[in-house]
Amino acid sequence: MSTTAAPVPSPVHPVDEVPPVRQLAAFGLQHVLAMYAGAVAVPLIVGGAMKLSPADLAYLITADLLVCGVATLIQCIGFWRFGVRLPIMQGCTFAAVSPMVLIGTTGGGLPAIYGSVIVAGLAIMLLAPVFGKLLRFFPPLVTGTVILIIGVSLLPVAGNWAAGGAGAKDFGEPKNLALAAFVLAVVIGVQRFAPAYLARIAVLIGIAVGLAVAVPFGFTDFGGVGNADWLGISTPFHFGTPTFRASAIVSMLVVALVTMTETTGDLIAVGEMTGRKVEPGSLADGLRADGLSTVLGGVFNTFPYTAFAQNVGLVGMTRVRSRWVVAAAGGILVLLGLLPKLGAVVAAVPAPVLGGAGLVMFGTVAASGLRTLAAVDFDGNNNLTVVAVSVAVGVLPVGVPTVYEKFPDWFQTVMNSGISAGCLTAIVLNLLFNHLPAKAGPAPEGVPTGTEPV
């Protein structure tokens, strides 16, 4: 009697693996700590510029954390045509800060901001399929350059943290940099000498050890924990019914295009790191999730959302590729948004501790870009010029933040983001050198040009 072999189950892609609950919690918390300071920065800056009361500022922050979590869950888990289903953290985009401050302080207030945010979110959802079709303009030459620029443009963020946090009274004190260096040394030591299962949470261990050292030396203050409420629920339109002003909407639509460009770069970067290439359809799904999250932001008293580049480096560094890990981080953010006292505990982590961890994470993003560029051919073509000029344009506003301050607001919105400026430059130069008819005839057959589709 013949027997038929049982079918072999197809292997699960690392992106879809579900780690044990203990690992989910540890890896997820690591992602939350990596992005927390950036997540709350936007409501703090906008609310501070509008001179909101401490109670309203606290409300903005808890609303932001709640929607951050929901947006992350939508992006990682996905439903129907929403969500790229990759390990992507969502957070408020810094590209919207200047326009929102302008809208909020020139008579429109928060209702005008939220009206423009809702319209921008709807526009992103409508434009998502169009952006999805542009993926062929992101060959390894462009994607590697963009990933490199993302990493380099984030390094000043880590530098500011390491020095004590921008605006801190003791900014640049040797003790701050010493604490950051200590955390960096712990992260590297764990990665090098600890067992593999601990190496994967090297950043979390570094932050925990850094916090343990920081407390007795007076680096942090847990006074805010006692003042925070136990429960906080963000209700729709808390600050009033949204108003729709043409000028505010136009400026926020420019921001929408910038964030779509940034998100495209981040999604491609994570696709490269996880071994699951982003296709036109999945890119459109990811952008559509951005749009939905931005609409939710306008409804629930917060701001436009985008993929958070801070966490791209963590995926590359830890090699933990599961989207369910980042979904767990989204769940933690929802809890922080509903339980302000928990959020206050996380907020008490001193900036230098985050800075030490950020240096290795953001450097990892830049190194990943170099790894992608290593597969590109640079002989007998102009690919080196594409990378050189794109990186220069992308780093310019990072190194000289006031370089475009005499230009119109819409221009500043686009070019003050090193990621969008460098990305647009790389796309245009790649088209110029590799897609227009060559002046000396086509390249010899079989010679790679770096423009092969991803």
Side-chain angles (χ1 to χ4, degrees):
M1 187 174 73
S2 63
T3 58
T4 56
V8 179
S10 58
V12 177
H13 193 283
V15 167
D16 298 318
E17 284 181 352
V18 183
V21 173
R22 188 184 305 171
Q23 290 184 10
L24 273 177
F27 295 154
L29 180 58
Q30 191 169 233
H31 271 282
V32 170
L33 291 172
M35 62 85 70
Y36 188 91
V40 301
V42 173
L44 279 173
I45 294 168
V46 175
M50 295 179 63
K51 296 180 171 55
L52 296 183
S53 68
D56 283 344
L57 264 179
Y59 194 96
L60 278 184
I61 290 170
T62 53
D64 172 40
L65 293 173
L66 176 65
V67 181
C68 269
V70 173
T72 299
L73 290 169
I74 294 171
Q75 195 68 276
C76 293
I77 299 173
F79 68 93
W80 191 49
R81 298 305 305 276
F82 292 86
V84 72
R85 296 167 175 84
L86 284 173
I88 292 284
M89 288 291 288
Q90 296 285 105
C92 282
T93 173
F94 284 86
V97 168
S98 296
M100 289 192 301
V101 168
L102 195 65
I103 295 166
T105 56
T106 54
L110 285 171
I113 291 176
Y114 294 140
S116 64
V117 167
I118 290 170
V119 173
L122 294 172
I124 291 171
M125 283 193 280
L126 290 173
L127 290 172
V130 177
F131 258 71
K133 293 174 182 175
L134 299 179
L135 199 58
R136 63 194 180 93
F137 297 116
F138 287 85
L141 174 65
V142 173
T143 58
T145 303
V146 172
I147 297 168
L148 174 60
I149 292 169
I150 291 172
V152 172
S153 65
L154 285 171
L155 285 172
V157 176
N160 276 319
W161 288 346
K169 292 179 181 177
D170 61 349
F171 186 86
E173 288 282 346
K175 64 175 185 176
N176 292 335
L177 294 166
L179 178 58
F182 171 73
V183 172
L184 176 60
V186 171
V187 172
I188 293 172
V190 170
Q191 276 207 299
R192 174 63 182 85
F193 299 108
Y197 70 93
L198 286 178
R200 290 181 170 184
I201 54 169
V203 170
L204 180 59
I205 293 172
I207 290 174
V209 173
L211 183 59
V213 170
V215 171
F217 284 98
F219 276 92
T220 189
D221 178 17
F222 288 97
V225 178
N227 298 328
D229 294 329
W230 279 104
L231 185 65
I233 299 174
S234 180
T235 54
F237 309 128
H238 173 80
F239 293 100
T241 305
T243 57
F244 301 92
R245 298 189 171 201
S247 58
I249 289 170
V250 169
S251 63
M252 205 56 67
L253 288 175
V254 174
V255 170
L257 293 174
V258 172
T259 57
M260 291 179 82
T261 305
E262 290 185 346
T263 295
T264 298
D266 290 332
L267 297 187
I268 291 171
V270 173
E272 294 269 342
M273 291 176 178
T274 58
R276 175 173 281 179
K277 298 285 188 183
V278 174
E279 304 293 339
S282 56
L283 174 60
D285 293 347
L287 292 170
R288 206 175 280 114
D290 261 16
L292 175 60
S293 302
T294 297
V295 172
L296 290 176
V299 172
F300 286 95
N301 321 294
T302 179
F303 306 116
Y305 284 84
T306 187
F308 238 39
Q310 280 92 324
N311 295 82
V312 174
L314 193 54
V315 172
M317 195 194 96
T318 62
R319 300 183 184 88
V320 177
R321 296 181 278 177
S322 171
R323 61 191 171 105
W324 296 101
V325 163
V326 180
I332 293 171
L333 284 172
V334 170
L335 277 177
L336 294 177
L338 294 174
L339 303 171
K341 203 171 279 292
L342 273 182
V345 172
V346 176
V349 177
V353 172
L354 296 174
L359 285 170
V360 66
M361 287 190 303
F362 304 160
T364 301
V365 180
S368 297
L370 292 175
R371 184 174 59 188
T372 301
L373 288 172
V376 175
D377 181 63
F378 288 98
D379 292 329
N381 54 43
N382 293 291
N383 288 343
L384 197 63
T385 301
V386 175
V387 176
V389 176
S390 302
V391 171
V393 172
V395 172
L396 189 60
V398 177
V400 190
T402 57
V403 66
Y404 298 123
E405 67 177 7
K406 303 294 185 185
F407 284 75
D409 289 340
W410 66 266
F411 187 90
Q412 291 188 50
T413 301
V414 176
M415 298 303 290
N416 273 342
S417 164
I419 297 172
S420 65
C423 185
L424 291 172
T425 304
I427 292 170
V428 171
L429 292 181
N430 178 54
L431 290 173
L432 176 66
F433 285 117
N434 294 317
H435 286 267
L436 293 180
K439 58 186 178 183
E445 189 173 346
V447 175
T449 64
T451 61
E452 292 78 14
V454 292

Coordinates of all heavy atoms in Angstrom, one line a residue, residues 292-373:
L292 N -4.7 57.6 6.3 CA -5.8 57.3 7.3 C -5.3 57.8 8.7 O -6.1 58.4 9.4 CB -6.1 55.8 7.3 CG -7.1 55.3 8.3 CD1 -8.4 56.0 8.1 CD2 -7.2 53.8 8.3
S293 N -4.1 57.5 9.0 CA -3.6 57.9 10.3 C -3.6 59.4 10.5 O -3.8 60.0 11.6 CB -2.2 57.4 10.6 OG -2.2 56.0 10.5
T294 N -3.3 60.1 9.4 CA -3.3 61.6 9.4 C -4.7 62.1 9.6 O -4.9 63.1 10.4 CB -2.6 62.2 8.2 OG1 -1.3 61.7 8.1 CG2 -2.7 63.7 8.1
V295 N -5.7 61.5 9.0 CA -7.1 61.9 9.2 C -7.4 61.7 10.7 O -8.1 62.5 11.3 CB -8.0 61.1 8.3 CG1 -9.5 61.4 8.7 CG2 -7.8 61.5 6.8
L296 N -7.1 60.5 11.2 CA -7.3 60.2 12.6 C -6.6 61.3 13.5 O -7.2 61.7 14.5 CB -6.8 58.8 13.0 CG -7.6 57.6 12.4 CD1 -6.9 56.3 12.8 CD2 -9.0 57.6 12.9
G297 N -5.4 61.7 13.1 CA -4.7 62.7 13.9 C -5.5 64.0 13.9 O -5.7 64.6 15.0
G298 N -6.1 64.4 12.8 CA -6.9 65.6 12.8 C -8.2 65.5 13.6 O -8.7 66.5 14.2
V299 N -8.7 64.3 13.7 CA -10.0 64.1 14.5 C -9.7 64.0 16.0 O -10.4 64.6 16.8 CB -10.7 62.8 14.0 CG1 -11.9 62.5 14.9 CG2 -11.2 63.0 12.5
F300 N -8.6 63.3 16.3 CA -8.3 63.1 17.7 C -7.2 64.0 18.3 O -6.4 63.6 19.1 CB -7.9 61.6 17.9 CG -9.0 60.7 17.8 CD1 -9.4 60.0 16.7 CD2 -9.8 60.4 18.9 CE1 -10.4 59.2 16.6 CE2 -10.9 59.6 18.9 CZ -11.2 59.0 17.7
N301 N -7.2 65.3 17.8 CA -6.4 66.3 18.4 C -4.9 66.1 18.3 O -4.1 66.5 19.3 CB -6.8 66.5 19.9 CG -8.3 66.3 20.1 OD1 -9.1 67.1 19.6 ND2 -8.7 65.3 20.8
T302 N -4.4 65.6 17.2 CA -2.9 65.5 17.0 C -2.6 65.9 15.6 O -3.3 66.7 15.0 CB -2.4 64.2 17.5 OG1 -1.0 64.1 17.3 CG2 -3.1 63.0 16.8
F303 N -1.5 65.4 15.0 CA -0.9 66.0 13.8 C -0.7 64.9 12.7 O -1.0 63.7 12.9 CB 0.3 66.7 14.2 CG 0.1 67.7 15.3 CD1 0.7 67.5 16.6 CD2 -0.7 68.7 15.2 CE1 0.5 68.4 17.6 CE2 -1.0 69.7 16.2 CZ -0.3 69.5 17.4
P304 N -0.1 65.3 11.6 CA 0.1 64.4 10.5 C 1.1 63.3 10.9 O 2.1 63.5 11.6 CB 0.7 65.2 9.4 CG 0.3 66.6 9.7 CD 0.3 66.7 11.2
Y305 N 0.9 62.1 10.3 CA 1.7 60.9 10.7 C 2.5 60.4 9.5 O 2.1 60.5 8.4 CB 0.9 59.8 11.3 CG 0.5 60.1 12.7 CD1 -0.6 61.0 13.0 CD2 1.3 59.8 13.8 CE1 -0.9 61.3 14.3 CE2 1.0 60.1 15.1 CZ -0.1 60.9 15.3 OH -0.4 61.3 16.6
T306 N 3.7 59.8 9.8 CA 4.5 59.3 8.8 C 5.4 58.2 9.4 O 5.4 58.0 10.6 CB 5.5 60.4 8.2 OG1 6.2 59.8 7.1 CG2 6.5 60.8 9.2
A307 N 6.0 57.4 8.5 CA 6.9 56.3 9.0 C 8.1 57.0 9.7 O 8.6 58.0 9.3 CB 7.5 55.5 7.8
F308 N 8.5 56.5 10.9 CA 9.5 57.1 11.7 C 10.9 56.5 11.4 O 11.1 55.3 11.6 CB 9.2 56.9 13.2 CG 9.0 58.1 14.0 CD1 8.4 59.2 13.4 CD2 9.5 58.3 15.3 CE1 8.3 60.4 14.1 CE2 9.4 59.5 16.0 CZ 8.7 60.5 15.4
A309 N 11.7 57.3 10.8 CA 13.1 56.9 10.4 C 13.9 56.4 11.6 O 14.8 55.6 11.4 CB 13.8 58.0 9.7
Q310 N 13.6 57.0 12.8 CA 14.4 56.6 14.0 C 14.4 55.1 14.2 O 15.4 54.5 14.6 CB 13.8 57.2 15.3 CG 14.2 58.7 15.4 CD 13.2 59.6 14.8 OE1 12.7 59.3 13.8 NE2 13.0 60.8 15.4
N311 N 13.3 54.4 13.9 CA 13.2 53.0 14.2 C 13.7 52.1 13.0 O 13.9 50.9 13.2 CB 11.8 52.6 14.5 CG 11.3 53.3 15.8 OD1 10.9 54.5 15.8 ND2 11.4 52.6 16.9
V312 N 14.0 52.7 11.9 CA 14.5 51.9 10.7 C 15.9 51.4 11.2 O 16.2 50.2 10.9 CB 14.6 52.8 9.5 CG1 15.4 52.0 8.4 CG2 13.3 53.2 9.0
G313 N 16.7 52.2 11.8 CA 18.0 51.8 12.3 C 17.9 50.6 13.3 O 18.8 49.7 13.3
L314 N 16.9 50.6 14.1 CA 16.8 49.6 15.1 C 16.5 48.2 14.5 O 17.0 47.2 14.9 CB 15.7 49.9 16.1 CG 15.6 49.1 17.4 CD1 16.9 49.1 18.1 CD2 14.5 49.7 18.3
V315 N 15.7 48.2 13.4 CA 15.4 47.0 12.7 C 16.7 46.5 12.1 O 17.0 45.3 12.2 CB 14.4 47.3 11.6 CG1 14.2 46.0 10.7 CG2 13.0 47.6 12.2
G316 N 17.5 47.4 11.5 CA 18.8 46.9 10.9 C 19.8 46.4 11.9 O 20.5 45.5 11.6
M317 N 19.8 47.1 13.0 CA 20.9 46.8 14.0 C 20.6 45.5 14.8 O 21.4 44.7 15.0 CB 20.9 47.9 15.0 CG 22.2 47.9 15.9 SD 22.0 49.0 17.3 CE 21.5 47.9 18.5
T318 N 19.3 45.3 15.2 CA 18.9 44.1 15.9 C 18.7 42.9 15.1 O 18.7 41.8 15.6 CB 17.7 44.4 16.8 OG1 16.6 44.7 15.9 CG2 17.9 45.6 17.7
R319 N 18.4 43.1 13.8 CA 18.1 42.0 12.9 C 16.8 41.3 13.3 O 16.5 40.2 12.8 CB 19.2 41.0 12.7 CG 20.5 41.6 12.2 CD 21.6 40.5 12.0 NE 22.8 41.1 11.6 CZ 23.8 41.6 12.4 NH1 23.5 41.5 13.7 NH2 24.9 42.1 12.0
V320 N 16.0 42.0 14.1 CA 14.6 41.5 14.4 C 13.7 42.0 13.4 O 13.4 43.2 13.4 CB 14.2 41.9 15.9 CG1 12.8 41.4 16.2 CG2 15.2 41.3 16.9
R321 N 13.2 41.2 12.5 CA 12.5 41.7 11.3 C 11.0 41.5 11.5 O 10.2 41.9 10.5 CB 13.0 40.9 10.1 CG 14.4 41.2 9.8 CD 14.9 40.5 8.5 NE 15.3 39.2 8.8 CZ 15.7 38.3 7.8 NH1 15.7 38.7 6.6 NH2 16.0 37.1 8.1
S322 N 10.5 40.9 12.6 CA 9.1 40.7 12.7 C 8.2 41.9 12.8 O 8.5 42.8 13.6 CB 8.8 39.8 13.9 OG 7.4 39.7 14.2
R323 N 7.2 42.0 12.0 CA 6.3 43.2 12.1 C 5.5 43.1 13.4 O 5.0 44.2 13.8 CB 5.4 43.3 10.8 CG 4.5 42.1 10.6 CD 3.8 42.1 9.3 NE 3.1 40.9 8.9 CZ 1.7 40.8 8.9 NH1 1.0 41.9 9.2 NH2 1.1 39.7 8.6
W324 N 5.3 41.9 13.9 CA 4.5 41.8 15.2 C 5.2 42.4 16.3 O 4.6 42.8 17.3 CB 4.2 40.3 15.4 CG 3.3 39.8 14.3 CD1 3.7 39.0 13.3 CD2 1.9 40.1 14.1 NE1 2.7 38.8 12.4 CE2 1.5 39.4 12.9 CE3 1.0 40.8 14.8 CZ2 0.2 39.4 12.4 CZ3 -0.3 40.8 14.3 CH2 -0.7 40.2 13.1
V325 N 6.6 42.5 16.3 CA 7.3 43.2 17.3 C 7.0 44.7 17.3 O 6.7 45.3 18.4 CB 8.8 43.0 17.1 CG1 9.6 44.1 17.9 CG2 9.3 41.6 17.5
V326 N 6.9 45.3 16.2 CA 6.6 46.7 16.1 C 5.1 46.9 16.4 O 4.7 47.9 16.9 CB 7.0 47.3 14.7 CG1 6.6 48.8 14.6 CG2 8.5 47.1 14.5
A327 N 4.3 45.9 16.0 CA 2.8 46.0 16.4 C 2.7 46.0 17.9 O 1.9 46.7 18.5 CB 2.1 44.8 15.8
A328 N 3.5 45.2 18.6 CA 3.6 45.2 20.1 C 3.9 46.6 20.6 O 3.4 47.1 21.6 CB 4.5 44.2 20.6
A329 N 4.9 47.2 19.9 CA 5.3 48.6 20.3 C 4.1 49.5 20.1 O 3.9 50.5 20.9 CB 6.5 49.1 19.4
G330 N 3.3 49.3 19.1 CA 2.1 50.1 18.9 C 1.1 50.0 20.0 O 0.5 50.9 20.5
G331 N 1.0 48.7 20.5 CA 0.1 48.4 21.6 C 0.6 49.2 22.9 O -0.2 49.7 23.6
I332 N 1.9 49.2 23.1 CA 2.5 49.9 24.2 C 2.2 51.4 24.2 O 1.9 52.0 25.1 CB 4.0 49.6 24.3 CG1 4.3 48.1 24.7 CG2 4.6 50.5 25.4 CD1 5.7 47.7 24.6
L333 N 2.3 51.9 22.9 CA 2.0 53.4 22.8 C 0.6 53.7 23.1 O 0.3 54.7 23.6 CB 2.4 53.8 21.3 CG 3.9 54.0 21.0 CD1 4.1 54.2 19.5 CD2 4.4 55.1 21.8
V334 N -0.3 52.8 22.7 CA -1.8 53.0 23.0 C -2.0 53.0 24.5 O -2.7 53.9 25.0 CB -2.6 51.9 22.4 CG1 -4.1 51.9 22.9 CG2 -2.6 52.0 20.8
L335 N -1.3 52.1 25.2 CA -1.4 52.1 26.7 C -0.8 53.4 27.3 O -1.4 54.0 28.2 CB -0.6 50.9 27.3 CG -1.3 49.6 27.3 CD1 -0.3 48.5 27.8 CD2 -2.5 49.6 28.2
L336 N 0.3 53.9 26.7 CA 0.9 55.1 27.2 C 0.0 56.3 27.0 O -0.1 57.2 27.8 CB 2.3 55.4 26.5 CG 3.4 54.4 26.9 CD1 4.7 54.7 26.1 CD2 3.7 54.4 28.3
G337 N -0.8 56.2 25.8 CA -1.7 57.3 25.5 C -2.9 57.3 26.4 O -3.5 58.3 26.7
L338 N -3.3 56.1 26.9 CA -4.5 56.0 27.8 C -4.1 56.1 29.3 O -5.0 56.4 30.1 CB -5.1 54.6 27.6 CG -5.8 54.4 26.2 CD1 -6.3 52.9 26.0 CD2 -6.9 55.4 25.9
L339 N -2.8 55.8 29.6 CA -2.3 55.9 31.0 C -1.2 56.9 31.1 O 0.0 56.6 31.0 CB -1.9 54.5 31.4 CG -2.9 53.4 31.3 CD1 -2.2 52.0 31.6 CD2 -4.1 53.6 32.3
P340 N -1.5 58.2 31.2 CA -0.5 59.2 31.3 C 0.6 59.0 32.3 O 1.8 59.4 32.1 CB -1.3 60.5 31.6 CG -2.7 60.2 31.1 CD -2.9 58.8 31.4
K341 N 0.3 58.3 33.4 CA 1.4 58.1 34.4 C 2.5 57.2 33.9 O 3.6 57.4 34.1 CB 0.7 57.5 35.7 CG 1.5 57.7 36.9 CD 0.8 57.2 38.2 CE -0.2 58.2 38.6 NZ 0.4 59.5 39.2
L342 N 2.1 56.2 33.0 CA 3.1 55.3 32.4 C 3.9 56.2 31.4 O 5.1 56.0 31.3 CB 2.4 54.2 31.6 CG 2.1 52.9 32.4 CD1 1.5 51.9 31.4 CD2 3.3 52.3 33.0
G343 N 3.3 57.0 30.7 CA 4.0 57.9 29.7 C 5.0 58.8 30.4 O 6.1 59.0 29.9
A344 N 4.6 59.2 31.6 CA 5.5 60.1 32.4 C 6.8 59.3 32.8 O 7.9 59.9 32.9 CB 4.8 60.7 33.6
V345 N 6.6 58.0 33.1 CA 7.8 57.2 33.5 C 8.8 57.1 32.3 O 10.0 57.3 32.5 CB 7.3 55.8 34.0 CG1 8.5 54.9 34.2 CG2 6.5 55.9 35.2
V346 N 8.2 56.8 31.1 CA 9.1 56.7 29.9 C 9.7 58.1 29.6 O 10.9 58.1 29.2 CB 8.2 56.2 28.7 CG1 9.1 56.2 27.5 CG2 7.7 54.8 29.0
A347 N 9.0 59.1 29.8 CA 9.5 60.5 29.5 C 10.6 60.9 30.4 O 11.4 61.8 30.1 CB 8.4 61.5 29.6
A348 N 10.8 60.2 31.6 CA 11.8 60.5 32.5 C 13.2 60.0 32.1 O 14.2 60.3 32.7 CB 11.5 60.0 33.9
V349 N 13.3 59.2 31.1 CA 14.6 58.7 30.6 C 15.4 59.9 30.1 O 14.9 60.6 29.2 CB 14.4 57.6 29.5 CG1 15.8 57.2 28.9 CG2 13.6 56.4 29.9
P350 N 16.6 60.1 30.7 CA 17.3 61.3 30.3 C 17.8 61.3 28.8 O 18.1 60.2 28.3 CB 18.5 61.3 31.3 CG 18.5 60.0 32.0 CD 17.2 59.3 31.7
A351 N 17.9 62.5 28.2 CA 18.3 62.6 26.8 C 19.7 61.9 26.5 O 19.8 61.3 25.5 CB 18.3 64.0 26.4
P352 N 20.7 62.1 27.4 CA 22.0 61.5 27.1 C 21.9 59.9 26.9 O 22.7 59.4 26.1 CB 22.9 61.9 28.2 CG 22.3 63.1 28.8 CD 20.8 63.0 28.6
V353 N 21.0 59.3 27.7 CA 20.9 57.9 27.6 C 20.3 57.5 26.2 O 20.8 56.6 25.5 CB 19.9 57.3 28.7 CG1 19.6 55.9 28.5 CG2 20.5 57.5 30.1
L354 N 19.3 58.3 25.7 CA 18.8 58.0 24.4 C 19.9 58.4 23.3 O 19.9 57.7 22.3 CB 17.6 58.9 24.2 CG 16.3 58.6 25.1 CD1 15.2 59.6 24.8 CD2 15.8 57.2 24.8
G355 N 20.7 59.4 23.6 CA 21.7 59.8 22.7 C 22.7 58.7 22.4 O 23.1 58.4 21.3
G356 N 23.2 58.0 23.5 CA 24.1 56.9 23.3 C 23.6 55.8 22.4 O 24.3 55.3 21.6
A357 N 22.3 55.5 22.7 CA 21.7 54.4 21.9 C 21.4 54.9 20.4 O 21.6 54.2 19.5 CB 20.4 54.0 22.5
G358 N 21.0 56.2 20.3 CA 20.7 56.8 19.0 C 21.9 56.8 18.1 O 21.8 56.6 16.8
L359 N 23.1 57.0 18.6 CA 24.3 57.1 17.7 C 24.5 55.8 17.0 O 24.8 55.8 15.8 CB 25.5 57.4 18.6 CG 25.7 58.8 19.1 CD1 26.8 58.9 20.1 CD2 26.0 59.8 17.9
V360 N 24.3 54.7 17.7 CA 24.6 53.4 17.0 C 23.4 53.0 16.1 O 23.6 52.5 15.0 CB 24.8 52.2 18.0 CG1 23.6 51.9 18.9 CG2 25.3 51.0 17.2
M361 N 22.2 53.4 16.5 CA 21.0 53.1 15.6 C 21.0 53.9 14.3 O 20.8 53.3 13.3 CB 19.7 53.4 16.4 CG 19.4 52.4 17.5 SD 17.7 52.6 18.2 CE 17.8 54.3 18.7
F362 N 21.2 55.2 14.4 CA 21.2 56.0 13.2 C 22.3 55.8 12.3 O 22.2 55.9 11.1 CB 21.1 57.5 13.6 CG 19.9 57.8 14.5 CD1 19.9 59.0 15.3 CD2 18.8 56.9 14.6 CE1 18.8 59.2 16.2 CE2 17.7 57.2 15.5 CZ 17.7 58.4 16.2
G363 N 23.5 55.5 13.0 CA 24.7 55.1 12.2 C 24.4 53.8 11.4 O 24.9 53.7 10.3
T364 N 23.6 52.9 12.0 CA 23.3 51.7 11.3 C 22.5 51.9 10.0 O 22.6 51.3 9.0 CB 22.5 50.7 12.2 OG1 23.3 50.5 13.4 CG2 22.1 49.4 11.5
V365 N 21.6 52.9 10.1 CA 20.8 53.3 8.9 C 21.7 53.7 7.8 O 21.6 53.3 6.6 CB 19.8 54.4 9.2 CG1 19.0 54.8 7.9 CG2 18.8 54.0 10.3
A366 N 22.7 54.6 8.1 CA 23.6 55.1 7.1 C 24.4 54.0 6.5 O 24.7 53.9 5.3 CB 24.5 56.2 7.7
A367 N 24.9 53.1 7.4 CA 25.7 51.9 7.0 C 24.9 51.0 6.0 O 25.4 50.4 5.1 CB 26.2 51.1 8.2
S368 N 23.6 50.9 6.3 CA 22.7 50.1 5.4 C 22.6 50.7 4.0 O 22.5 49.9 3.0 CB 21.3 49.9 6.1 OG 21.4 49.3 7.3
G369 N 22.6 52.0 4.0 CA 22.6 52.7 2.7 C 23.9 52.4 1.9 O 23.8 52.1 0.7
L370 N 25.0 52.4 2.6 CA 26.3 52.1 2.0 C 26.3 50.6 1.5 O 26.8 50.3 0.4 CB 27.4 52.3 3.0 CG 27.7 53.7 3.4 CD1 28.8 53.8 4.4 CD2 28.1 54.6 2.2
R371 N 25.7 49.7 2.2 CA 25.6 48.3 1.8 C 24.8 48.2 0.5 O 25.1 47.4 -0.4 CB 25.0 47.5 2.9 CG 24.9 46.0 2.6 CD 24.5 45.2 3.8 NE 23.1 45.6 4.2 CZ 22.5 45.2 5.3 NH1 23.2 44.4 6.2 NH2 21.3 45.6 5.6
T372 N 23.7 48.9 0.4 CA 22.9 48.9 -0.8 C 23.7 49.5 -2.0 O 23.7 48.9 -3.1 CB 21.6 49.7 -0.6 OG1 20.8 49.1 0.5 CG2 20.7 49.7 -1.9
L373 N 24.4 50.6 -1.7 CA 25.2 51.2 -2.8 C 26.4 50.3 -3.3 O 26.8 50.5 -4.4 CB 25.7 52.6 -2.3 CG 24.7 53.7 -2.2 CD1 25.3 54.9 -1.6 CD2 24.1 54.0 -3.6

